[in-house]
Amino acid sequence: MESGGYRGAGLKILSKYGVSVGDTVRVMTGDGEMSGVIMPRYESASEDYIVIKLKSGYNTGVEVSKVRSLEKLAGPAKAATADVQAPAQKPGLPKIALISTGGTIASKIDYRTGGVRAALSASELYASVPELAGIASVDPEVLMSEYSENLKPEHWTAIAEKVAEKVKLDRYDGIVVSHGTDTMHYTAAALSFALQGLPVPVVLVGAQRSSDRPSSDAALNLIGATTFAAKAPVAGVFVAMHSGTSDDAVAVHVGTRVRKNHTSRRDAFESIDVTPVALVKEGKAEMQSSGIELAQRGRGKLDAKTKFDSRVMLLKYHPGFDPDLIEHAAKAGYKAIILEGTGLGHVSKDCFSALKKAVGAGVMVCMASQCIWGRVSMTVYDTGRDLLDIGVIPLSDMISETATAKAMWALANAGDPKKAMQENMAGEISSAIPL
Amino acid sequence: MALPDPKTLDLKVGFEIHQQLGTQSKLFCNCSCKEAEQYDKAFMRRLRPTQSELGAYDPAAMFEFSKMRASEYHAASGTSCLVEADEEPPHEVNGEALDTALVFSLALHSKIMDEIHVMRKIVIDGSNTSGFQRTMLVAMGGHLDVAGKKVGVQSICLEEDASKVLGEGDGTRKYGLDRLGVPLVEIALEPVTGRPEEIMQVALTLGRLLRASKRVARGLGSIRQDVNVSVMGGAVVEVKGVQQLDQLVKVIEHETARQHGLVVISEKLREKGVDENSVGDRIDDATDVVGRSQSKVVKKIMSGPRPVFRAIRVRGFAGMLGFEPYPGIRLGKELGELVRFYDLGGVFHSDELPNYGISQEEVDAVKKKLELKEKDAFVIVGGPEDRVAYATDAIVRRLKAALAGVPAETRAATLDGRTVFSRPRPGAARMYPETDIPTIPVTSEKLESLAASVPRPWDEVVDGIASKYGLNKKLASQIFDSDYLQVFEGIAGSTKVQPTFVASKLTEDVTSLQRQGGDPSLLFDDMIMDVFQRLDAGAIAKESVALIFEKLMKKEAATVDEAIRALGVSSISDDELSAALDKVIADNMAVVREKGMGALSMLMGRSMAVLRGKADGQKINAMLKDKLGKLSK
């Protein structure tokens, strides 16, 4: 029997009466009877209840200890599938590959079980977001289905290789990668280093409100990402998400300069120290001067280096920080530490000795700032100068999450990782921060 | 045709009451339930149906989506936050609100769910930023005692209120977020039979029971009634927006006539041998024929965007679209209301043509085009192409439904007690779990702790008020039914003013001022309290109370101070009073000399004219008597 999340007493009573999730039942309790469909139970909820969907559509929990009998009236009804005609594909449109990695940006929900699955075919996709059919001819492919908090550098490699494979086909005007939002900015940075010389835009897109809600931001974000991927005159790795709380514009950010700055808002993703490269509004991608030099579409030749070395630690300094952590990191085999220091790039002098030992042991120690906005300037105060003397590498205005992905990439691919960390490769270091 | 007795029609009426709760904060966040005075932020959203909603073929949802209507939301800090903006997951369910729903369930002897699940009910008209209304089933079954009879309870739900519509324009609907998320308890009663007046008694009794809990919001709009009406066992029609009980009587009468009329029409249609295949077996574009008409309605449509006219053939319906079993009840009118839902005005049928500037020649051309026979009818619908496509579909479905009689639908009550089509009834497929909020077990300990809060029956509560404050039963029930019970109890408990006087001012005087055009919503509890405290302190006279209320309710003063200044009714000292009375006597000395004590009533009248509201009438009378007595000696 499919357990549908039931454990303990709940699972036992369902088994006893030979009833499964999806069956229509009549439940007799001490208080009376009710009829409805057995629904799945969330794994984390108490085991002592079974969930019934009543005819009115309401779900309700029935305490197992009160159940006198459970009678199966009918087996599972066929799930109502969405047989909606997808709009016809217009001929002669740009071609886009849509790689799905997880999240629910274009998905179908089964109201019977409450489960969500990715939209698998182009027609399902167009049925879900009909506007897409008028923008591009989209080939969807599901690469993986992971919450983004579960993604590891190995997944970055898989995504980078899949993108490279699509680019090499020379068939697509752009690639869209749907992604859970929690770590989307790490993946964007990782792809920016792994896929240099891209001839087309690669646009990561996600949703802060899942697509099973009428208010989801998924559709507009997907339309924005697809429009930009299909039409923008530039190439490289980007992130496309809501520009504000309103459903009117999607901002496109450079992949190395973007950060998730809010837990729940639609406009959580922001460009750090620069302006977004484009705003997609009413079907048009309006390019903006971002302060980052971008590659032109069609010029580049892809140089894919897709390996990552995950032995990198991102360490945030705080008052009361234990310097031993640095020594432990070195002993544990980490090859690089990205320090998120205070202000212009500082940590307490208490850390100097540990840092000397780590650098001496060959660990690459870099400094980014926990201020998020602005550049580290380690020659202004004594502390900064002392840290430079120890051998800590200043990372200019590179944001710490980008620095972490870059260090993982540099350790696996660069001849001189220390030098690589200080060179601008994909817009992660800028020469001037606009006011 | 006279309407048959409701009993032979098997008229059944069920109530669904939405009662706003008197909680401090909203159902899923800590924002205040108060109305915003002004809005300081705005944003725009577009909702779209989720894919399975499309699959479930909800015409209303599809149409709302096809219009891609934008919603503009206006927010004010304190009354809404990221939760109402759909930018933050809901917080846990407001405990005070849930307790209230449980208390009501106990009072109605309803079976409380072992574990409560919050659900999302899809609503994509924009009134909820999320695209769904959060609602939870708290209890089922039970009964309400109405004048010795038991009326069954179907369900008791706790849900969030929708945004307030602020206006409409440019394809955008404007909403205020202050009302979104305010807790409501929805109580659905079993349908009952009976005269409209008896049915009204049911709503009144339920309302009183809820108010007796002292856990509900008071005032206009704090309780809303939907009425489900069915006749002869037919489909249930839900009527929304019945605000006043006297309106309800008319709504029930109207729906009885309408539904029975539709049944009569369906019988006639069946007699004529019409079946579903007769409706819309042929639908032609008639833009070439109708579009050239000199009709004002047609000209207006033709000057609009992408104009088309479609003609629908309806075989065997001749005479039936205009047939009126009761005044104003006909299929043609139902079609008119239906197309308005699709924002269209242009619908004509063959029973009413030629008319509206459409000529016999044009009618003949449509008939020829559709190859109409003598007994056939047609319907023409015109407007922008995409909307006409939806409307054509809806008209065909509606006429097919006419064969069965009454379609299940949601209608809106008009102020004069009629009903108009508002949308098809949504089904159970629109509900799915709110996964952001854990399920809530209801323990027996919890229910025991709430037992003491269960409100007593209305009669007992009124008797209690009467004996506690020395009111007669009529006045006690009036103050209970008014919006001022709470402030009345506050005044009676904290001042020495006679409770009978306070109660009569808050019921009879306020009602009479309301009849004269005063607005009771301008009279706030804190103002009322202030007025009676001043009276208690002797700063104003009894006569001033109603005068101050009048200034406030007629918007002639914004504060109690302003009202007192405007009226010039601040109390005067005994010396001032004595001097004022001396002046009145001096001015009328001739009469005083002639009549002596007999001049008292005349002097009283003159004095009151100058001193009303500044001094107590009895005091004036006593002082005048004293002065006259001295003079007479």
Side-chain angles (χ1 to χ4, degrees), chain A residues 75-384:
Chain A
K78 264 195 183 165
T81 51
D83 280 331
V84 171
Q85 283 229 305
Q89 176 71 62
K90 286 189 190 163
L93 289 176
K95 286 196 163 44
I96 296 295
L98 172 61
I99 300 166
S100 172
T101 69
T104 57
I105 184 147
S107 56
K108 298 174 66 158
I109 183 166
D110 179 350
Y111 276 48
R112 191 179 54 86
T113 62
V116 177
R117 69 172 181 85
L120 297 175
S121 67
S123 65
E124 278 181 3
L125 189 64
Y126 295 149
S128 171
V129 190
E131 295 93 326
L132 286 181
I135 300 168
S137 162
V138 183
D139 288 344
E141 181 179 337
V142 178
L143 173 65
M144 59 184 82
S145 191
E146 285 287 352
Y147 288 138
S148 75
E149 61 270 32
N150 295 334
L151 294 184
K152 298 179 163 104
E154 299 94 277
H155 295 104
W156 299 345
T157 301
I159 298 168
E161 283 172 359
K162 179 53 76 180
V163 173
E165 177 194 315
K166 300 280 183 197
V167 170
K168 282 174 191 157
L169 291 173
D170 208 15
R171 191 195 295 162
Y172 295 108
D173 297 284
I175 318 280
V176 175
V177 180
S178 75
H179 199 288
T181 57
D182 274 11
T183 66
M184 184 158 67
H185 47 309
Y186 287 92
T187 303
L191 295 184
S192 303
F193 302 112
L195 300 171
Q196 294 184 48
L198 277 167
V200 295
V202 173
V203 188
L204 280 81
V205 65
Q208 286 282 84
R209 300 266 90 74
S210 62
S211 62
D212 62 339
R213 303 164 186 245
S215 63
S216 173
D217 50 334
L220 188 69
N221 291 345
L222 193 54
I223 291 165
T226 307
T227 303
F228 184 85
K231 296 175 183 166
V234 295
V237 177
F238 304 92
V239 168
M241 290 290 284
H242 261 59
S243 162
T245 189
S246 288
D247 282 337
D248 55 2
V250 169
V252 183
H253 310 273
V254 171
T256 53
R257 303 224 56 110
V258 63
R259 195 170 186 282
K260 184 175 184 177
N261 281 343
H262 198 277
T263 56
S264 57
R265 281 179 65 122
R266 287 164 174 74
D267 52 1
F269 283 80
E270 291 180 298
S271 281
I272 304 300
D273 287 337
V274 297
T275 16
V277 298
L279 275 183
V280 186
K281 261 183 171 168
E282 287 161 10
K284 288 198 183 75
E286 295 168 16
M287 298 301 292
Q288 307 188 130
S289 162
S290 69
I292 298 286
E293 206 179 311
L294 298 170
Q296 294 304 295
R297 178 191 278 275
R299 302 266 173 83
K301 188 165 179 334
L302 179 61
D303 178 16
K305 290 187 180 124
T306 60
K307 294 283 174 275
F308 293 90
D309 185 335
S310 62
R311 290 173 293 176
V312 177
M313 181 178 276
L314 173 59
L315 208 48
K316 183 170 189 153
Y317 174 79
H318 54 85
F321 178 86
D322 180 0
D324 283 354
L325 281 173
I326 296 168
E327 281 187 57
H328 287 312
K331 277 185 202 147
Y334 284 90
K335 295 287 174 204
I337 295 171
I338 308 295
L339 281 173
E340 229 184 54
T342 55
L344 291 167
H346 303 142
V347 292
S348 157
K349 59 183 190 304
D350 298 347
C351 298
F352 288 177
S353 145
L355 284 171
K356 269 181 205 154
K357 281 185 205 163
V359 171
V363 177
M364 173 168 80
V365 181
C366 305
M367 180 66 76
S369 175
Q370 55 187 251
C371 296
I372 301 174
W373 274 269
R375 203 185 296 279
V376 295
S377 297
M378 298 177 63
T379 53
V380 177
Y381 294 102
D382 288 347
T383 309

Side-chain angles (χ1 to χ4, degrees), chain B residues 444-578:
Chain B
S444 47
E445 291 80 30
K446 175 78 183 171
L447 295 180
E448 277 157 27
S449 75
L450 291 172
S453 307
V454 173
R456 288 172 296 143
W458 177 74
D459 300 37
E460 279 181 35
V461 176
V462 168
D463 286 347
I465 293 170
S467 70
K468 181 169 178 189
Y469 300 108
L471 307 181
N472 64 42
K473 188 155 180 183
K474 184 177 169 230
L475 195 52
S477 70
Q478 280 174 343
I479 194 73
F480 176 83
D481 282 343
S482 78
D483 286 332
Y484 305 110
L485 178 61
Q486 217 169 343
V487 71
F488 163 77
E489 293 199 299
I491 294 162
S494 66
T495 70
K496 296 183 298 296
V497 184
Q498 274 294 317
T500 307
F501 176 76
V502 179
S504 75
K505 290 289 140 188
L506 290 176
T507 54
E508 285 150 24
D509 286 60
V510 169
T511 310
S512 112
L513 287 169
Q514 195 177 355
R515 286 204 194 101
Q516 294 162 30
D519 179 359
S521 75
L522 296 170
L523 192 61
F524 294 99
D525 284 3
D526 55 346
M527 293 175 171
I528 298 171
M529 181 55 106
D530 186 11
V531 170
F532 283 102
Q533 278 171 346
R534 287 177 200 236
L535 175 63
D536 195 27
I540 54 169
K542 272 182 168 182
E543 286 75 9
S544 306
V545 173
L547 297 171
I548 295 170
F549 284 0
E550 183 176 7
K551 284 278 167 203
L552 292 166
M553 285 172 68
K554 291 191 174 164
K555 236 183 176 168
E556 287 162 9
T559 63
V560 175
D561 274 331
E562 244 180 75
I564 288 174
R565 268 201 303 278
L567 290 163
V569 294
S570 52
S571 216
I572 56 175
S573 70
D574 286 2
D575 288 350
E576 284 168 320
L577 177 60
S578 173

Side-chain angles (χ1 to χ4, degrees), chain B residues 340-477:
Chain B
R340 265 197 289 283
F341 174 73
Y342 297 94
D343 286 352
L344 296 175
V347 65
F348 310 99
H349 59 82
S350 45
D351 285 353
E352 61 179 356
L353 297 178
N355 201 346
Y356 312 110
I358 294 175
S359 68
Q360 184 63 51
E361 215 182 347
E362 286 150 359
V363 172
D364 291 341
V366 174
K367 284 186 172 174
K368 196 175 162 202
K369 197 177 196 50
L370 292 173
E371 297 178 50
L372 238 59
K373 297 212 173 69
E374 200 187 328
K375 287 182 180 169
D376 298 344
F378 68 78
V379 179
I380 304 170
V381 56
E385 194 179 352
D386 47 343
R387 291 187 202 172
V388 167
Y390 280 105
T392 306
D393 207 30
I395 289 169
V396 170
R397 264 183 284 123
R398 179 65 190 83
L399 290 176
K400 283 184 177 172
L403 297 166
V406 185
E409 61 194 22
T410 301
R411 301 179 68 85
T414 62
L415 281 176
D416 60 354
R418 288 174 306 113
T419 71
V420 290
F421 175 82
S422 71
R423 55 168 296 145
R425 280 200 84 172
R430 322 192 105 220
M431 293 258 243
Y432 64 114
E434 169 53 272
T435 46
D436 295 341
I437 300 170
T439 55
I440 306 158
V442 184
T443 61
S444 47
E445 291 80 30
K446 175 78 183 171
L447 295 180
E448 277 157 27
S449 75
L450 291 172
S453 307
V454 173
R456 288 172 296 143
W458 177 74
D459 300 37
E460 279 181 35
V461 176
V462 168
D463 286 347
I465 293 170
S467 70
K468 181 169 178 189
Y469 300 108
L471 307 181
N472 64 42
K473 188 155 180 183
K474 184 177 169 230
L475 195 52
S477 70

Side-chain angles (χ1 to χ4, degrees), chain B residues 135-197:
Chain B
T135 172
M136 63 203 93
L137 177 65
V138 175
M140 286 166 78
H143 62 266
L144 171 73
D145 292 312
V146 185
K149 279 196 269 183
K150 281 183 165 56
V151 175
V153 174
Q154 284 183 335
S155 61
I156 299 172
C157 297
L158 176 61
E159 58 190 32
E160 56 178 352
D161 206 346
S163 309
K164 184 167 65 190
V165 178
L166 301 177
E168 199 155 353
D170 293 343
T172 304
R173 212 178 277 162
K174 293 184 174 68
Y175 292 100
L177 290 185
D178 40 343
R179 216 181 65 196
L180 179 61
V182 168
L184 303 175
V185 164
E186 182 206 81
I187 300 174
L189 297 178
E190 296 282 359
V192 292
T193 55
R195 285 179 296 115
E197 295 75 12

